Amino acid sequence: MTDDLRFRRPVEADHPQLVGQVDDWWGGRNLHQIFPRLWLQHFTGTSWLAEDTEGHPIGFLVGFISPDHPEEAYVHMIATSPNHRRAGLGRLLYERFFDDARARGARRVTAVTWPGNRVSVGFHRAMGFRPADGQGTQNLYGTPAYADYDADGDDRVVFRREL
Ligand SMILES: CC(C)(COP(=O)(O)OP(=O)(O)OC[C@H]1O[C@@H](n2cnc3c(N)ncnc32)[C@H](O)[C@@H]1OP(=O)(O)O)[C@@H](O)C(=O)NCCC(=O)NCCS
């Protein structure tokens, strides 16, 4: 796997191609709405793009160190091409981000996902994240989650991982 890909920081010029793919990569959900161009204007120093040998994007992660909580890193989106899944690419992207976060002094990573996204829930658990399960959470789709977290009907699992 690692012989067939290379990692680099994304740049703004990558946005049109990536934003055109995210709905497909998320199985038809309207994910382009949460991936405006600003992510590749202001957060590239802690984000990663994986390409195949021909330079086609096959995975990306956009994340940052929290300006309000410098001990906390936050992953906004992570995805791999449907043709390259279960081969360790998502794990490699996260490991690069963990290294970025540690190097900048962060102590933990947060990632928020929809509890019905079983692939994302399984992936984050496999990456060492644990769901917040304290006050205000309830079992949704088998995972502790906050109902109406982002808006009415927008339930979320809040995953945390220590570094
Ligand atoms: C979630 C996603 C990024 C995982 O990428 P990936 O490249 O397949 O991940 P990896 O191959 O590195 O998997 C690492 C581990 O995660 C777990 N995992 C990955 N896919 C899984 C699945 N479909 N079901 C259960 N566990 C899974 C496994 O334990 C896996 O290790 P293994 O392959 O040795 O069993 C990818 O499926 C994806 O892009 N999904 C659509 C976008 C999305 O939902 N993103 C997350 C929310 S922002």
Side-chain angles (χ1 to χ4, degrees), residues 25-26 78-80 85-91 117 119-120 123 126:
W25 287 12
W26 260 264
I78 178 170
T80 57
R85 291 197 180 151
R86 299 307 292 260
L89 178 54
R91 183 181 294 277
N117 185 346
V119 171
S120 178
F123 171 66

Side-chain angles (χ1 to χ4, degrees), residues 1 22 24-27 29 31 34 58 60 75-82 84-94 111-114 117-127:
M1 176 83 181
V22 293
D24 178 40
W25 287 12
W26 260 264
R29 297 177 65 208
L31 264 290
I34 66 162
I58 57 171
F60 73 99
V75 175
H76 177 57
M77 297 173 86
I78 178 170
T80 57
S81 152
H84 294 82
R85 291 197 180 151
R86 299 307 292 260
L89 178 54
R91 183 181 294 277
L92 290 172
L93 286 164
Y94 251 136
V112 172
T113 199
W114 175 54
N117 185 346
R118 293 181 188 283
V119 171
S120 178
V121 169
F123 171 66
H124 279 93
R125 284 187 181 277
M127 292 305 306

Side-chain angles (χ1 to χ4, degrees), residues 37-91:
R37 184 176 284 258
L38 70 88
W39 286 99
L40 298 190
Q41 292 172 323
H42 301 287
F43 298 92
T44 55
T46 47
S47 298
W48 286 100
L49 177 67
E51 296 176 322
D52 67 14
T53 49
E54 292 172 357
H56 300 123
I58 57 171
F60 73 99
L61 178 158
V62 285
F64 58 93
I65 311 300
S66 167
D68 285 359
H69 309 283
E71 74 286 0
E72 182 173 344
Y74 188 99
V75 175
H76 177 57
M77 297 173 86
I78 178 170
T80 57
S81 152
N83 298 326
H84 294 82
R85 291 197 180 151
R86 299 307 292 260
L89 178 54
R91 183 181 294 277

